[in-house]
Amino acid sequence: MARTRLLAGNWKMHKTRTETVEFAEKLAHLSSGMTTEKAKGYPELLVCATFTALPGLMEPLQKSNTGLGAQNMHEADHGAYTGEVSVAMIKELGCTYVILGHSERRMYFAESDAAVAKKTLVALDHQLTPIVCVGESLEERENGDTSKRIAAQVGAVLDVLKTRQDVVSERLVIAYEPIWAIGTGRTASKEDAEVVAKAIREQVKAELGDHVADAVRVLYGGSVKPENIADFLSEADIDGALVGGASLEAESFFRMAQNSAL
Ligand code: PGA
């Protein structure tokens, strides 16, 4: 099955609302000369902004066919959870994606595998596409524990999805982001990233079957930039990239889109 490539920007805690609209206008300008024929080979484009920047960002992004996503959400529909945001709240602002379980959230906000799994189910249940992040620390990699760590993180999500045949698990996106490669300028080799991406797909296949495994998109993340994105995308099981730093400038984001076009 041909999976649609995805280029997703993770803006983390960067950009005011004004700055995000400036980005969207610049991106629209950069992509304005593109022919329809050429646009067909481009990956699906997405930016995940802070909650405060989400209102009013969907429309300016539409000019460059770029989707909008959030960077987190709470698993409850509503309730006494001070400072949290629900799935309905981000959907209302035009989000079609949500990043879940980013390593920074796992590390600084103590998000557990179980919590990430719960959020994933809620997102799918509400027709939102979750980008579930998994990845090993440097210590885990050096101790040879990479596959064990990834399998545990992915397994927690699949265990929950297995219980719910009615949700469209095909929509799931999993981003493999080695923690030691995030924001460090170090990347996994494309071969190492493919080994993990393939193992993730095998695990999905074992738990949810061939059809879901064929449809699920696996992204690589960690110091992706215009110069190296094509290398990762040349691998059979890598369907796109989740990009932090290099997604903050419209020119760099657009160059990554160009460099990952088919
Ligand atoms: P980076 O971040 O591209 O700046 O390494 C990736 C991420 O954290 O998603």
Side-chain angles (χ1 to χ4, degrees):
M1 177 205 262
R3 295 179 290 270
T4 308
R5 285 175 162 189
L6 176 63
L7 170 60
N10 172 13
W11 285 347
K12 309 190 179 184
M13 199 173 75
H14 292 286
K15 292 191 188 296
T16 61
R17 199 166 169 258
T18 313
E19 287 163 348
T20 59
V21 174
E22 277 166 15
F23 175 102
E25 298 296 350
K26 214 181 258 183
L27 187 62
H29 178 71
L30 290 168
S31 56
S32 61
M34 207 156 55
T35 59
T36 327
E37 201 42 48
K38 206 158 175 213
K40 278 188 201 152
Y42 271 58
E44 181 183 346
L45 303 180
L46 171 76
V47 291
C48 298
T50 55
F51 292 135
T52 55
L54 295 175
L57 188 53
M58 185 184 77
E59 272 184 30
L61 282 175
Q62 274 172 346
K63 296 182 204 160
S64 58
N65 269 324
T66 303
L68 183 62
Q71 299 172 10
N72 181 34
M73 61 173 218
H74 195 273
E75 63 267 30
D77 283 346
H78 50 78
Y81 302 103
T82 303
E84 290 293 318
V85 167
S86 77
V87 64
M89 294 169 189
I90 59 176
K91 274 190 77 174
E92 188 184 36
L93 301 175
C95 289
T96 50
Y97 281 81
V98 60
I99 296 174
L100 296 175
H102 188 280
S103 59
E104 287 149 16
R105 294 221 49 94
R106 293 177 190 260
M107 202 172 359
Y108 305 132
F109 303 96
E111 281 196 18
S112 64
D113 289 354
V116 174
K118 243 190 242 169
K119 291 179 184 199
T120 306
L121 180 60
V122 171
L124 287 172
D125 231 352
H126 288 80
Q127 292 78 47
L128 208 61
T129 300
I131 301 178
V132 177
C133 302
V134 299
E136 81 286 3
S137 64
L138 187 57
E139 195 186 351
E140 285 162 339
R141 171 147 294 254
E142 284 171 350
N143 290 340
D145 289 336
T146 299
S147 50
K148 202 167 88 192
R149 183 70 194 113
I150 307 297
Q153 290 176 323
V154 173
V157 171
L158 300 182
D159 282 349
V160 169
L161 296 187
K162 263 196 311 199
T163 65
R164 285 283 305 275
Q165 299 295 329
D166 57 315
V167 298
V168 186
S169 301
E170 284 86 343
R171 197 167 331 104
L172 179 66
V173 178
I174 299 175
Y176 168 53
E177 299 202 305
I179 297 170
W180 47 270
I182 295 176
T184 59
R186 277 181 77 181
T187 62
S189 69
K190 65 183 182 117
E191 293 81 10
D192 284 349
E194 168 63 15
V195 167
V196 176
K198 193 176 165 78
I200 291 173
R201 201 175 302 286
E202 289 296 322
Q203 195 178 352
V204 174
K205 187 172 169 173
E207 300 295 335
L208 299 175
D210 284 359
H211 187 258
V212 178
D214 267 356
V216 160
R217 288 178 290 176
V218 181
L219 314 181
Y220 169 76
S223 298
V224 172
K225 43 186 193 272
E227 294 74 28
N228 62 19
I229 192 164
D231 284 345
F232 291 106
L233 295 183
S234 68
E235 296 293 336
D237 290 286
I238 300 178
D239 306 306
L242 181 58
V243 188
S247 74
L248 290 170
E249 296 297 332
E251 288 84 2
S252 159
F253 189 71
F254 188 61
R255 270 175 60 216
M256 285 189 287
Q258 288 178 308
N259 292 352
S260 43
L262 293 169

